[in-house]
Amino acid sequence: MTFRPKYITFDCYGTLTNFRINDMPAKLYGEQLTGERLERFKKDFTAYRLDEAMGDWKPYDQVLKAALRRTCKRHGIAYSDEDGQACYEAVPTWGPHADVPEALTRVGREIPLVILSNAMNEQIHSNVRKLEAPFHKVYTAQDAGAYKPRLQAFEYMLDQLGCAPGEILHVSSSPRYDLMSAHDLGIVNKVFVNRNHEPKPNAAYTHVEIRDITGLPALVGL
């Protein structure tokens, strides 16, 4: 693959930012959850976050709180909104994966970079600053009125950029939140960053796989 897109669009949390949300259950409930039970809790928390993102838009703190509350109920652990708020407040403190800043800056000098993130505006700009790369635009679920994987989020981004699906390259480490929806909207050029937090996408969802962002410059001829 060598494709020079009009824009390169990115998922942020997990793909660029080291999204350490699965550190939170051990911090909050470490005395009650260990070993396999902790790992099961993390998987369920991941599943409930996706489920909460599928409905009508609501503030991200409510997404996290509802997902954590449902996970705690499933595992017989007492939940408090303070625990959910702790997860929300941790998000903007997280920085990039180590491979991101240099490679992303190199690409950003030549091609406009765009973020589409399941975030609130009050959160995302702290994370973006830590990426140390030039971004043309940053769009959030709050802006779009919808979370990924809903198509509305991608449609909002394309409308704001004023471009067609075939003119962008979309980069994500999440098949479920990003690559499947991008495929359905006709975004042909997609990159799967294999961070090992989701299974690889089916080959029918056409994509190129890279290990990390250091592999991106070569894909766009840099």
Side-chain angles (χ1 to χ4, degrees), residues 141-154:
Q142 184 178 8
D143 296 328
Y147 289 100
K148 300 177 295 180
R150 292 193 60 197
L151 300 185
Q152 180 180 332
F154 290 90

Side-chain angles (χ1 to χ4, degrees), residues 67-128:
L68 187 60
R69 181 175 61 250
R70 294 168 71 187
T71 310
C72 285
K73 179 180 179 181
R74 185 167 181 174
H75 288 260
I77 292 175
Y79 166 80
S80 72
D81 272 347
E82 288 77 9
D83 296 340
Q85 188 66 25
C87 292
Y88 179 76
E89 292 177 357
V91 173
T93 70
W94 296 329
H97 292 284
D99 55 273
V100 168
E102 183 177 351
L104 204 58
T105 298
R106 180 182 171 192
V107 174
R109 293 192 188 109
E110 303 293 333
I111 303 170
L113 308 179
V114 176
I115 280 175
L116 178 63
S117 178
N118 279 1
M120 297 288 286
N121 293 327
E122 68 179 13
Q123 294 177 305
I124 190 65
H125 296 291
S126 174
N127 301 110
V128 172

